[in-house]
Amino acid sequence: MLKPRTIVSLIALLGFGSLLLFSFGERVSGYTHFSEAEASGSDVHVIGYWVQPETAHYSPEENLFTFHMKDEEGTIRKVLYRDTKPASFENAEKLVVAGRVNGDVFEAKHILMKCPSKYSDTNSLEQLPPS
């Protein structure tokens, strides 16, 4: 027979595991597109590119950064980010915005940027001049 302490420990462990699954289950997802983000109505990660012709704007009074992003399906949406403009934003090759669609805009809670690598094929060791 199991001791009462063991039973209580197992129940607590099961409860904690269930809480983790329900709390983080919806948040753990892959990348999606704006159309899927709109349909889901929950927080998602959308990968895409900054639309260069559209101007990015930061309002210090509102602490609001806005820009337009094109996802991998070609859909362009305005992105609102209620924080300062990330450093080196203009140099990013790709963007990942985490948040949700609200009306016709995507409200980002986080922005991740993939910046160009300073190491590329053109800078490989084979192509460096001899020292």
Side-chain angles (χ1 to χ4, degrees), residues 32-40 46 71 73 75 77 101:
T32 188
H33 306 287
F34 285 131
S35 58
E36 293 171 5
E38 186 173 11
S40 77
V46 178
D71 69 13
E73 287 185 331
T75 304
R77 265 209 205 249
V101 173

Side-chain angles (χ1 to χ4, degrees), residues 32 34 46-51 69-72 92-97 112:
T32 188
F34 285 131
V46 178
I47 190 166
Y49 306 90
W50 175 42
V51 180
M69 187 175 115
K70 179 191 277 189
D71 69 13
E72 293 184 323
E93 286 181 352
K94 281 189 174 181
L95 300 171
V96 176
V97 290
L112 304 171

Side-chain angles (χ1 to χ4, degrees), residues 84-103:
T84 58
K85 178 179 158 188
S88 304
F89 178 81
E90 290 83 5
N91 298 329
E93 286 181 352
K94 281 189 174 181
L95 300 171
V96 176
V97 290
R100 66 177 55 202
V101 173
N102 187 2

